[in-house]
Amino acid sequence: DTADPIDKALRACLAADRGQSTAGMVECLGIAYEAWDRELNRTYDQLMRSLDQASRDKLRAAQRQWLVFRDADMAFQRQEFVAGNGKYGTLAGVTLASDNVETIRRRVMTLRAYLGPD
């Protein structure tokens, strides 16, 4: 299995007893999100160290814009889907948490691709 260890841990969490409820799924996804966030910071730092100053400036600007997008999108999600208006049902939280994990995971994969092959 060539899956990232974070993805493996998420699958294991979701397959365990605690991952069988809606609250458990959200908890598992939250753990995965935090792990991907740590990996995002680690990968970003590694990439920054590998670049010349002009490229670092461009990456820093791009990353700041990506963070603005991520934060704005999550704020919209909280307001529209999580705020309790009830029209989306109980699985909305799971769907949104999963989407947020995938969003940060994709950014890590993009930064890893910029680093090049191992």
Side-chain angles (χ1 to χ4, degrees), residues 18-97:
R18 81 178 197 201
Q20 300 303 301
S21 68
T22 301
M25 288 179 218
V26 171
E27 178 186 356
C28 291
L29 289 160
I31 292 167
Y33 185 90
E34 292 301 319
W36 279 116
D37 189 54
R38 286 188 301 276
E39 181 61 15
L40 175 69
N41 291 319
R42 189 196 69 73
T43 305
Y44 174 81
D45 289 344
Q46 182 181 4
L47 180 57
M48 286 292 279
R49 287 190 305 273
S50 74
L51 300 172
D52 61 42
Q53 186 60 50
S55 295
R56 282 194 302 270
D57 292 344
K58 289 182 186 307
L59 176 61
R60 184 178 300 109
Q63 188 67 7
R64 286 178 178 162
Q65 289 300 308
W66 181 84
L67 290 167
V68 167
F69 161 76
R70 181 202 64 186
D71 293 348
D73 195 47
M74 290 174 79
F76 167 73
Q77 291 173 0
R78 282 190 301 276
Q79 177 180 325
E80 183 63 22
F81 300 101
V82 180
N85 61 18
K87 69 181 181 179
Y88 295 102
T90 58
L91 285 180
V94 174
T95 301
L96 294 174

